[in-house]
Amino acid sequence: MRKSTAWTIFFFVLGLFSLLFLWPLTRVITGGFYVEGKVTLRYLLNVFRNPIYAEGMLHSLMLGVTTTSIALLISVPLAWLSHRFDFRGKKLLNGLLLVPMILPPFVGAIGFQQILGQYGVLNALLGLGPVDWLGRGRFLGVTILQALALYPILFLNVTAALANVDPAMAEAAENLGCPPLKRFFRITLPLIMPGLFAGGTIIFIWSFTELGTPLIMNYTRCTSVQVYDALREIGSNPFPYVLVFVMLTCSVMLYAATKLIFGKQAYAMQSKASIGYSARQLKGWRGAIVALPFIAVISLALMPHAGVVLTSFSVPGSWYKTVAPTMFTAGNYVDALGHGMTVTSIRNSLLFSSLAVLLNMGIGISIAFVVVRSKIRARALLDALAMIPLAVPGLVMAFGYLSISSLLSNLSWARENPVWQSWFDVRTNPTLFLVIAYAVRRLPYMVRSAAAGLQQTSVVLEESAANLGASPLTTARRITLPLITANLIAGTLLAFAFSMLEVSDSLMLAQRADFYPITKTIYELFQLIGTGRYVASALGVWAMFFLAVTIIGSSLILGKKLGAIFRM
Amino acid sequence: MAVGVRIENLAKTFDRTIAINDVSLDIQPGELFFLLGPSGCGKTTLLRCVAGFCDPDRGSIHIGDHDITRLPPHKRDTGMVFQSYALWPHMTVKDNIAFGLQMRKMPRQEVADRVSGALDMVKMSDRADHNPNQLSGGQQQRVALARALVVHPQCLLLDEPLSNLDAKLRVEMRSEIRRICKQAGLTAIYVTHDQKEALSIADRLAVLHEGSVQQVGTPQEVYHSPVNTFTAGFIGETNLLKAEVLRRDTSGAWFSTPLGEVASKVSALDSLNAGDQVTLSIRPEAIRVSSPPESAPNAFNATIHDTVYLGEVAQHRVSVFNAIADSGETTLKAFDLNPRIVARDTAESTRVWIAPEDVVVLGE
C-alpha cells in the first residue's frame, strides 16, 4: 500500500472517528465538569457523597465483579475440558454452549422470572410457597442471568487462547515431573491470561453498565438505571453526566490496564505449535462424566430461553403457580404481528442495522487495510482507536449521542431548518443517531474480521497482481476482497445481529413509538399490563430465531476462528 | 550411574497409518543414540513414546530395570528438549531451569546451586534473569538443554533440537551437545532427519523408514556398509547398480553389472552364490575420475557430462559405456574431493575406477 493512500485513509477515518465517537465522548466527559460556564468538581464529589448515587455505583460494581466471576467459573473449566479431552458429542455440546448468545439477557429475564419467580415453575414443582429464589433485591437474579448469557464470549476467548498455546509448553512441564493440576496453574493459566482478561474485560464492562436486565428485573438501585431515569433532565442536570463519566472511567481504566499488562506479552502467539496436538480420547463412562458439566451449564443457560418460548405460546394468565402453562395458543404471535408497534419495530431494526452495517463495512475494511497492509507508524494508533468502542459502555455512548442531539437541534441554524432539526433531534427522528451508535459500537468486530482475513492472505498474492499490471484498486477488488469474503461475511453477520438486538442505545435514543427498534418494543410491551409480557415473548422468540440463524451462519463460515472476533 | 533404554516390539498406529511397526532397540548406558530417518518415518513418535506423550499399542519400554510403558510422563524422569524449545515465556531463564527441580521438591539452596551449575555448563550464566524471548535461537537452545539436563534425567530426549537454527550455529551446537552429554555421562536419544548431524556426533544410530528399523550401527558401519537400498540412498549419496553374482572366492566376489564386470572385496559376502541377483552400492566419492594404476580392477572408460564445482568437491556426472554387454550407457555420480582439474565443457573422455573395497553388496 502506498504511503500517501495509507495517510489519506488514516486522516479520513480519524476525522470520521472523532466526529462520531470522540465528540460525543467529550460531551459526556465535560458535561459534568463544565456547568454554567464554570469548571467545577462539585458534582463529581457530590455523586460520591449522595448516598443513593454512591449505593448505585457500589451495586453496579458488584454486578460487574460478580457476573464476571460467575462467567469465569463457568467457562474456564469447560474450555479446559473441551481442549484436553475428546468425547462423544463434544462438537454438539461446544456448539450448544454458544446458544445463550442468541437472546439479549434482558429478554431472557422474562422467561427467568416465569421459572424462578415467586409464583414460578420451581416453586410449583417443589410444592413450595412463594419462596424468593432470585435473592433479596434481585441482585443474585441479575448476575446469574447476565453470567448465563455472557459466558459464551469468555468461553470462546479461553478456547482460542488454549488452542494458541504450543502444546509443547505443557508437555515440557509434564516431562520435568509436573502433575496435571499444578501444570494448569503454573504453565497453562499464565499463558492464557491475555485471552482470559480480554474476555473478562468485555464481560465486566458489559455487565457493569447493562441497562436492560436490571430494568426488567426491577433492580433499580444501580447506576445504569439511575442514569436512564435521569434522562429527561439531560439539559439541566449535570449528575447523569458525572455518573456516566464514572462508569466510563472505570471501564476505560480496566481496558487500559489489560492492554498495558498483556498487550506487550502476547505469549501464546510467539511460538508456533511445533507438534500436532490431539486431545485425549475418552470412551464410555469417562466421556459421559466429562460431558456432564457441559450439559448442566447448557440446561441452566437455556432455562430463560425455554421460559420465553413457553410464555410466548401460553394463553395470557394461564401460567401462574403451575409447572407449565395450562393452556397453549399461537395467538400471541398473531397479536405480535397485528400490533402496529411490533411490525414497525421489525422494519425499523432491519433498516437501522442495515445502514449501520454498511457504514461499518466502509470504515472497518479501510481501517483493516491500513493496519495490516501499510507500514505507516500511525497504524498502531488506528488499530487501538478502532478497538476502543469495546471499552466504552453502550450506555455512555448513548448518553453522548443524546447530548449531541440536544446540542445540534438547539442550534439557531437548525431551528431555521426544520428538516435538519428533525434529523438532529432524537425525539422526532432517531434514525441518524441510532445508525451511528449501532455502527460505532460494532466497528471492532468488523475491523477484527477484516484484519484477520488480511493477515491470512499472503501479500504476495497482491504483489503478483500488481506485477501483472493491476492498479491498487483493481487488486483490492479482484484479488483481496474475494479472498477475505468469508471473514467479511462473518463480521457483517455478527455486526448486523448485535445491532438488531442492541439494548442501551435503543432504549435511550428511540423515544417515539414509530421509531422504536425491536428491543425497545419488547421492553415497552413487557410493561403493558395484561397480554404485554406474552406478546413481548413472542417477539423475543422471533428475535432469538433470527439471531440463531446469523450466529450459526457465521460460525459455519469462520469455524474455530469465531473466537477471534471477541478478542481485543 | 547412567542406565540404558530398552525398547521391545513397540508398535503404534494412528488412524490406520502405521507410525511404528515392531521396533526393538537396545540403547546402552551413557550412549548418544540417534534415530535417523526422513519425515514421517516414525522417529518422533518413537521418542514421544519414550517420553510418555504417546501410548504405544503394543510392546514395552524399559529405562534401566524399570518398565515405564504405562507410566504417565511426569513420573518417567526423562529430560526432553523440544523442537520448538517450549521455553515458558512467562518465566525467566533461571525460573525455567529451576522448574523441574522444584517439581522434585528440592531444597531452595540446592536448586540455586544446580541452576547456576547448569547455566555454567551451557555457558549462559550471564543471561539468567533474561526472558526467553530476549534470547537468540542458539541461546534458547542452550536454555532448553540446561532445563532438561539440570534434573539429571535417566535419559535425555532430543527432538530435532537444531532444526530451527541456521547452518553455522547448527554445526557449532551439535558438538556442544555431544560435549555436554558426555560430560554429564548421560544416556541420550536424539531424533533428527539430518544425516550429517547423526554421522558427526552419534555413538550409534538407528535408521528408520516407514516405522521400521532398517539398520542399527555406528556411523561408520551404517555409512560404509549399508544393508539395504534405503539406508544406502538415505545416508549420503550413492550409485545403485543391479548386478548378478558371477563367481566368488575367498578374496572377494565378481559381478556382472551394466558397467561391465565389477569386483568387490567387502567382507560378509559369504552368503552369495553364483547367479544371485543383488544390488551394488558405490558411493560417489569412491569413484575416482583419473587414470587408474596398472592392472587395477573396476576400471572403465567414461565421459564427463557436467560438473558442479563446490570448492572442496567437484561433483561430476559421468557415463560409462559397456561395450561387451551392450547394455548402453550408465550414468554415475562421481565426487572428486579436493579437485585440481575441473572440466566445465561438454563430453570430456576420461577413465574412472573403483577400489573393490568400496563396492558394497546390498541385500535387496
Side-chain angles (χ1 to χ4, degrees), chain A residues 138-470:
Chain A
R138 316 240 157 205
F139 176 79
L140 206 61
V142 175
T143 49
I144 290 178
L145 197 58
Q146 289 187 0
L148 285 178
L150 298 178
Y151 77 86
I153 294 176
L154 199 54
F155 177 79
L156 284 171
N157 261 293
V158 177
T159 314
L162 280 170
N164 260 326
V165 176
D166 183 352
M169 291 288 168
E171 283 185 352
E174 198 175 4
N175 176 256
L176 291 171
C178 191
L181 207 62
K182 219 175 209 173
R183 203 153 67 229
F184 176 76
F185 284 104
R186 288 211 45 187
I187 308 294
T188 312
L189 193 61
L191 291 177
I192 61 168
M193 237 4 151
L196 208 71
F197 263 75
T201 306
I202 293 180
I203 290 188
F204 177 83
I205 293 173
W206 192 319
S207 52
F208 173 55
T209 61
E210 166 79 15
L211 175 61
T213 315
L215 266 182
I216 292 234
M217 298 288 282
N218 206 16
Y219 183 73
T220 52
R221 290 190 290 180
C222 59
T223 309
S224 54
V225 177
Q226 286 168 348
V227 171
Y228 184 69
D229 286 342
L231 279 190
R232 281 185 198 87
E233 308 151 41
I234 189 166
S236 56
N237 185 355
F239 274 116
Y241 281 98
V242 182
L243 285 173
V244 170
F245 171 77
V246 174
M247 285 203 143
L248 176 67
T249 313
C250 289
S251 304
V252 169
M253 265 165 43
L254 181 71
Y255 179 86
T258 307
K259 273 275 177 197
L260 216 68
I261 300 171
F262 297 108
K264 277 186 186 160
Q265 24 180 307
Y267 293 143
M269 305 302 285
Q270 54 162 277
S271 90
K272 271 265 154 67
S274 55
I275 39 176
Y277 174 79
S278 56
R280 232 178 89 191
Q281 284 284 339
L282 291 183
K283 297 228 168 85
W285 59 273
R286 289 166 192 272
I289 285 183
V290 174
L292 219 58
F294 286 79
I295 295 170
V297 167
I298 291 166
S299 351
L300 271 179
L302 292 185
M303 201 171 62
H305 302 62
V308 171
V309 172
L310 274 179
T311 308
S312 76
F313 281 111
S314 59
V315 173
S318 74
W319 196 12
Y320 181 72
K321 289 191 184 177
T322 50
V323 175
T326 47
M327 283 181 284
F328 289 95
T329 174
N332 297 321
Y333 288 87
V334 179
D335 283 357
L337 286 180
H339 211 291
M341 202 153 74
T342 51
V343 180
T344 30
S345 75
I346 292 174
R347 206 195 54 217
N348 285 339
S349 275
L350 283 172
L351 175 72
F352 298 158
S353 305
S354 310
L355 289 176
V357 165
L358 278 180
L359 184 60
N360 242 339
M361 279 172 71
I363 306 179
I365 295 173
S366 313
I367 294 182
F369 255 104
V370 174
V371 167
V372 180
R373 286 290 190 257
S374 82
K375 293 274 181 293
I376 59 172
R377 282 252 173 112
R379 71 185 193 278
L381 176 71
L382 202 57
D383 191 31
L385 273 181
M387 289 303 117
I388 287 186
L390 282 180
V392 178
L395 187 77
V396 175
M397 286 315 296
F399 198 80
Y401 291 126
L402 272 183
S403 152
I404 297 271
S405 159
S406 88
L407 175 83
L408 284 180
S409 56
N410 283 323
L411 290 177
S412 55
W413 169 78
R415 283 169 201 266
E416 288 158 21
N417 296 279
V419 181
W420 281 105
Q421 191 187 21
S422 77
W423 279 93
F424 285 146
D425 192 344
V426 290
R427 285 169 300 183
T428 51
N429 186 351
T431 307
L432 178 69
F433 285 99
L434 271 177
V435 168
I436 292 173
Y438 285 178
V440 168
R441 295 270 316 284
R442 270 93 210 146
L443 186 63
Y445 301 139
M446 205 65 214
V447 174
R448 272 289 177 260
S449 310
L454 286 175
Q455 271 155 357
Q456 290 155 10
T457 310
S458 170
V459 70
V460 180
L461 298 175
E462 287 163 25
E463 286 170 352
S464 57
N467 173 256
L468 292 172

Side-chain angles (χ1 to χ4, degrees), chain A residues 166 169 171 175-176 186, chain B residues 48 78 80 84 88 90 104:
Chain A
D166 183 352
M169 291 288 168
E171 283 185 352
N175 176 256
L176 291 171
R186 288 211 45 187
Chain B
R48 289 173 64 77
T78 61
M80 182 146 167
S84 62
W88 301 302
H90 59 299
R104 284 161 177 73

Side-chain angles (χ1 to χ4, degrees), chain B residues 115-317:
Chain B
V115 168
S116 73
L119 281 167
D120 275 347
M121 191 176 221
V122 296
K123 300 173 184 160
M124 287 287 295
S125 304
D126 52 336
R127 296 284 195 281
D129 293 311
H130 282 54
N131 273 326
N133 35 13
Q134 293 171 285
L135 303 178
S136 70
Q139 291 170 331
Q140 291 186 17
Q141 225 297 286
R142 286 165 191 270
V143 177
L145 195 60
R147 187 176 71 180
L149 286 172
V150 75
V151 297
H152 297 171
Q154 301 247 338
C155 173
L156 182 69
L157 307 173
L158 301 120
D159 183 11
E160 309 228 9
L162 304 181
S163 62
N164 288 337
L165 301 181
D166 63 62
K168 201 158 187 183
L169 206 55
R170 219 178 298 164
V171 174
E172 190 185 308
M173 276 309 291
R174 70 186 186 208
S175 35
E176 190 73 357
I177 287 178
R178 183 171 170 90
R179 172 184 73 78
I180 290 167
C181 284
K182 290 299 157 189
Q183 191 180 328
L186 276 170
T187 310
I189 307 179
Y190 187 129
V191 160
T192 185
H193 62 264
D194 183 341
Q195 36 151 327
K196 285 203 172 129
E197 236 164 86
L199 293 177
S200 60
I201 63 170
D203 289 326
R204 282 195 309 151
L205 57 98
V207 181
L208 273 88
H209 179 49
E210 291 178 348
S212 302
V213 174
Q214 305 294 311
Q215 188 172 0
V216 179
T218 63
Q220 293 85 341
E221 282 165 5
V222 175
Y223 189 82
H224 284 292
S225 319
V227 294
N228 59 25
T229 49
F230 177 79
T231 312
F234 182 70
I235 300 187
E237 291 194 59
T238 195
N239 297 291
L240 296 175
L241 295 173
K242 290 272 169 229
E244 186 186 324
V245 180
L246 290 175
R247 60 183 186 282
R248 178 173 66 82
D249 62 26
T250 46
S251 65
W254 284 262
F255 302 86
S256 157
T257 76
L259 302 180
E261 194 175 303
V262 169
S264 168
K265 273 193 186 162
V266 293
S267 49
L269 297 172
D270 297 349
S271 59
L272 293 179
N273 294 306
D276 285 355
Q277 297 291 326
V278 295
T279 303
L280 301 182
S281 162
I282 304 164
R283 297 286 181 197
E285 66 272 20
I287 300 177
R288 320 269 178 92
V289 185
S290 62
S291 301
E294 279 299 306
S295 73
N298 304 343
F300 308 98
N301 288 322
T303 314
I304 299 178
H305 279 300
D306 54 48
T307 297
V308 177
Y309 178 68
L310 292 176
E312 83 275 20
V313 60
Q315 302 181 342
H316 306 293
R317 206 159 59 84

